[in-house]
Amino acid sequence: KIVVLKNMFLPDEADGKSEFYDVLTGEVASECEKFGEVTKVTPMEGHILGIVCVKFRDSVGAEECVRGMEGRYYRNRNIE
């Protein structure tokens, strides 16, 4: 039920921007809701790989998210 998205941000993007992770969380939640009911979005603050974890209500939504995000870009970075 949990999808791990990599390359969602660079650690230095949040420097001095208190709202950065709130905005990121909202944008990721909004996009991932297209695949199923999202129950939680957690950016790993400062992580070198730019990881955001997305928890879905069921595994079907998570599987759809993995398929749907494959090959997509976010802020000019390839999502893994």
Side-chain angles (χ1 to χ4, degrees), residues 35-66:
F35 306 111
E37 185 178 342
V38 173
T39 59
K40 188 173 185 179
V41 175
T42 308
M44 300 295 144
E45 295 185 18
H47 197 286
I48 194 165
L49 296 178
I51 290 179
V52 176
C53 296
V54 183
K55 185 176 182 181
F56 287 85
R57 176 173 289 289
D58 56 48
S59 60
V60 173
E63 291 169 9
E64 287 294 319
C65 180
V66 169

Side-chain angles (χ1 to χ4, degrees), residues 3-72:
V3 176
V4 177
L5 302 173
K6 292 191 242 179
N7 294 330
M8 296 301 292
F9 62 91
L10 298 173
D12 62 347
E13 285 182 295
D15 289 349
K17 300 174 192 164
S18 60
E19 73 283 351
F20 175 80
Y21 290 110
D22 291 336
V23 171
L24 177 65
T25 297
E27 289 176 352
V28 171
S30 177
E31 191 61 28
C32 289
E33 282 285 344
K34 296 174 183 176
F35 306 111
E37 185 178 342
V38 173
T39 59
K40 188 173 185 179
V41 175
T42 308
M44 300 295 144
E45 295 185 18
H47 197 286
I48 194 165
L49 296 178
I51 290 179
V52 176
C53 296
V54 183
K55 185 176 182 181
F56 287 85
R57 176 173 289 289
D58 56 48
S59 60
V60 173
E63 291 169 9
E64 287 294 319
C65 180
V66 169
R67 282 192 287 276
M69 297 300 264
E70 184 177 348
R72 302 236 344 237

